[in-house]
Amino acid sequence: MLLSLTIRNVVLIERLQIDFGAGLCALTGETGGGKSILLDSLGLALGARADSGLVRQGADKAQVTAQFEVPDGHPARAILEECDLAAAEDEELVLRRSLGANGRGRAYVNDQPVSVSVLRRLGDALIEIQGQFAQRGLMDSGTHRGLLDAYGGLDPRVREVGELYRAWRDAVAAHERAQTELADARQDEEHLRHAIGEIDELAPQEGEEAELAQQRELMMNAERLMGALNQAESELAGGGTGRGAESALAAARRGLERGLDIAGDALDPAVEAIDRSLAEAEEALARIHSVAHRVELDSGEQERIEERYFALKELARKHGCEVDELPALRDQLAQRLATVEHGEAHVAELAEKAEAARTAYLDAARALSEARTAAGHALDAAVNAELPPLRLDKATFRTRVDAQDDPAQWGPSGLDRVAFEVATNPGSAPGPLGRIASGGELSRFLLALKVVLAQVAPERTLVFDEVDSGIGGATADAVGERLARLADGRQILVVTHSPQVAARAHNHWRIGKTEAGATVVTDVDELGPGERREEIARMLAGASITDEARAAADKLMGPAE
């Protein structure tokens, strides 16, 4: 709900603040008093196109601030969250727009700088202006399908169709990917077979490169290593003296055994230590012999190791990987080759799944189209019943539901293009809502549509401009009655010249011009009950207010006033 509108230096307005209330809010005044300036100012705060001509003569800039109450769950809160402008649930939302005399401007949301497009998105979610030049809201055919679905209670079916559409498109994408992979694999089949053959011929094993590198290192330093091994073996064997480590340890153990009877358990740890040393010495000699055997391999084995080591390195370089990655690469190549050998069946299976998903989507979408057509007939009847009291008895409303044959036009919302159309005269072909030439007729037509869609339309403040243009009497009273009905539970702002409309308002402001020295300024006054009576009497009688006009005003306003 719009709480307040603050305007500074816009055309004839120097400084003005209006605090709005809930329900039906009427703005009245003489023609040319400045009502259009208020709407232009509001549009500026909502992100409308800016014109430097709005800046009051002599001022550097114009500024408009609109303050809103936005309940939790309102669509505007999702926009705030998306734009990282989220506010607390109880925090009011403030839109502000400044416009310099040079045409440059700035936009703010809760004092945070934003683009005008963000301001416009929030404005569209908060307020809908109905009038001759409004191109959003009901005038935007892009909103018609969603409104029809809401009116017909079809949203659950739309969600189901959306899920089936996404499942179909996912299945189509999987089929297309498989086709592409199969085509690529076929093109590379010869290369794949050759690459797999090369790898199979060498049959590389994981960790083999490190093992071969170690063997090469041993062989390349065989002479120096053998010297070290021979020396170590000689020392362990006793260096030719016959008293090697094993002999010495064995002799020491025999010596200890002669004292076991005397020392008892005291020598057991020493005997165990000698036993361990003997085992370690034996293992050391075994390892020395093993390494020596590897080093003493013949030159043919050395050549084989060299050749294999460099063959593996070259194959890895050719495929742009490490030697240890060759086995995994072979598996990947084999999988691609299997795609060629078994891909036809896989592609065919995916094609069947895609076709089944398409059929499921189409069945649900066609059923949704039928439901939309039925909902459209019900909506047509309801709207057409509202037209005669609004002096639109020659006009006919029609909901057009066109199922598209081109799959490129299908989507998660189904097959249909939905548009609200009107025929202004009997026998004329229906066309877009904008075909209605008169701004007043268009506003009344949109009022009828809004009344019918009141329970399903987005929660926004509605502004009606020229809704009573060219009407009076019973028609104006019908307009007022529908506006009051529509204002039940929401905020409606109406710029009106009709006393019948103004008399039904919950809040009333009078707009007029006053002279301030050499300049003229626009003023807005909130009217109390007595002031309302005088204003409605003026609207009935003109410049000279009579007692009869006041009595008529009292009758229009009813006993509550």
Side-chain angles (χ1 to χ4, degrees):
M1 182 177 76
L2 178 63
L3 297 177
S4 68
L5 183 66
T6 303
I7 306 170
R8 294 183 182 178
N9 296 323
V10 176
V11 193
L12 300 179
I13 299 175
E14 182 176 0
R15 182 180 181 89
L16 177 66
Q17 177 173 327
I18 308 176
D19 296 319
F20 292 96
L24 182 58
C25 303
L27 301 170
T28 64
E30 295 284 358
T31 301
K35 295 184 289 297
S36 63
I37 299 176
L38 288 180
L39 293 184
D40 289 341
S41 300
L42 178 59
L44 193 66
L46 300 177
R49 293 186 65 178
D51 183 350
S52 59
L54 290 174
V55 181
R56 188 172 66 88
Q57 188 174 2
D60 293 332
K61 68 176 181 179
Q63 181 171 285
V64 182
T65 303
Q67 187 174 7
F68 293 88
E69 179 183 64
V70 184
D72 188 34
H74 192 283
R77 289 203 171 271
I79 300 174
L80 292 172
E81 185 74 27
E82 178 187 336
C83 299
D84 198 23
L85 297 166
E89 291 183 11
D90 58 348
E91 185 178 348
E92 293 169 352
L93 176 61
V94 179
L95 308 185
R96 179 161 57 91
R97 181 96 172 270
S98 64
L99 176 64
N102 59 3
R104 297 179 181 175
R106 294 182 178 179
Y108 302 87
V109 173
N110 287 349
D111 288 329
Q112 298 184 57
V114 298
S115 66
V116 174
S117 62
V118 170
L119 204 65
R120 187 179 303 117
R121 289 181 61 196
L122 286 168
D124 286 346
L126 293 164
I127 289 185
E128 182 176 335
I129 299 177
Q130 304 291 0
Q132 185 174 7
F133 302 106
Q135 296 302 317
R136 294 185 291 235
L138 289 176
M139 295 295 290
D140 179 6
S141 61
T143 67
H144 296 175
R145 183 171 59 198
L147 289 170
L148 177 63
D149 290 340
Y151 179 78
L154 303 178
D155 288 338
R157 300 180 70 166
V158 174
R159 287 192 291 271
E160 178 189 359
V161 167
E163 292 172 359
L164 291 171
Y165 176 80
R166 286 182 284 274
W168 170 43
R169 297 316 305 170
D170 288 346
V172 169
H175 176 237
E176 291 175 347
R177 283 195 302 271
Q179 284 183 309
T180 301
E181 290 171 0
L182 178 59
D184 292 344
R186 280 176 175 163
Q187 188 174 359
D188 295 341
E189 182 176 4
E190 183 177 348
H191 165 73
L192 291 171
R193 293 189 185 280
H194 177 73
I196 292 172
E198 280 186 325
I199 298 175
D200 286 346
E201 184 177 354
L202 281 178
Q205 303 297 317
E206 189 174 349
E208 185 178 5
E209 179 186 17
E211 183 179 347
L212 290 174
Q214 184 181 28
Q215 290 180 359
R216 286 184 68 249
E217 185 70 19
L218 289 175
M219 292 178 180
M220 291 171 65
N221 297 278
E223 185 175 348
R224 184 160 58 90
L225 181 59
M226 283 301 297
L229 293 174
N230 289 334
Q231 182 182 355
E233 183 179 16
S234 175
E235 293 295 333
L236 285 172
T241 65
R243 293 291 294 173
E246 289 183 277
S247 298
L249 289 169
R253 193 182 193 290
R254 287 194 296 271
L256 289 175
E257 287 176 347
R258 288 194 294 271
L260 290 177
D261 293 341
I262 301 172
D265 296 339
L267 291 177
D268 286 349
V271 173
E272 291 174 359
I274 290 175
D275 289 342
R276 289 196 301 273
S277 298
L278 277 169
E280 293 289 342
E282 291 173 357
E283 183 178 354
L285 282 171
R287 289 184 177 275
I288 290 172
H289 292 155
S290 174
V291 174
H293 175 71
R294 290 165 61 190
V295 173
E296 290 174 350
L297 291 176
D298 58 40
S299 59
E301 178 64 11
Q302 181 177 352
E303 182 178 350
R304 184 195 71 79
I305 290 173
E306 287 277 340
E307 288 181 354
R308 182 163 182 81
Y309 177 79
F310 285 107
L312 289 172
K313 296 286 283 185
E314 174 61 21
L315 185 60
R317 184 196 65 77
K318 180 178 180 180
H319 290 287
C321 66
E322 299 295 330
V323 171
D324 283 348
E325 295 173 349
L326 286 170
L329 174 64
R330 195 266 180 209
D331 292 340
Q332 294 173 10
L333 297 174
Q335 289 177 3
R336 291 183 61 189
L337 187 60
T339 302
V340 179
E341 297 170 345
H342 308 292
E344 286 286 358
H346 180 57
V347 169
E349 179 184 356
L350 291 178
E352 291 179 2
K353 290 182 178 179
E355 183 59 29
R358 179 181 186 273
T359 300
Y361 165 72
L362 280 176
D363 288 346
R366 285 169 179 156
L368 177 59
S369 295
E370 293 178 2
R372 279 176 173 152
T373 299
H377 292 330
L379 178 60
D380 296 348
V383 173
N384 286 320
E386 292 287 334
L387 299 182
L390 298 175
R391 215 172 76 181
L392 294 169
D393 47 297
K394 293 182 179 180
T396 303
F397 174 80
R398 184 183 78 169
T399 303
R400 182 170 180 173
V401 180
D402 291 329
Q404 304 300 300
D405 295 327
D406 182 4
Q409 303 297 319
W410 301 348
S413 295
L415 318 176
D416 308 313
R417 183 175 297 163
V418 176
F420 297 155
E421 296 182 337
V422 59
T424 53
N425 294 294
S428 63
L433 294 177
R435 171 174 292 189
I436 302 177
S438 164
E441 286 183 343
L442 178 58
S443 293
R444 296 199 304 278
F445 198 95
L446 295 176
L447 172 60
L449 190 51
K450 273 294 180 184
V451 168
V452 174
L453 295 173
Q455 300 306 314
V456 299
E459 185 180 347
R460 290 184 284 194
T461 292
L462 297 177
V463 179
F464 283 91
D465 185 22
E466 297 189 44
V467 70
D468 56 356
S469 177
I471 62 170
T475 304
D477 187 59
V479 168
E481 186 273 330
R482 281 156 178 78
L483 284 170
R485 194 195 323 165
L486 190 58
D488 185 16
R490 71 176 71 207
Q491 185 185 51
I492 307 291
L493 273 59
V494 56
V495 177
T496 181
H497 294 284
S498 170
Q500 292 90 341
V501 172
R504 292 181 180 270
H506 304 99
N507 305 282
H508 193 162
W509 290 267
R510 182 179 59 232
I511 304 169
K513 293 179 181 177
T514 59
E515 293 185 6
T519 62
V520 176
V521 296
T522 294
D523 292 321
V524 178
D525 297 314
E526 185 172 6
L527 305 182
E531 295 167 317
R532 286 194 65 210
R533 174 175 177 263
E534 286 296 299
E535 174 65 6
I536 292 173
R538 181 200 63 77
M539 296 171 73
L540 286 165
S544 179
I545 303 176
T546 64
D547 291 339
E548 290 80 1
R550 291 186 177 93
D554 288 336
K555 184 175 180 181
L556 285 175
M557 294 169 67
E561 294 284 2

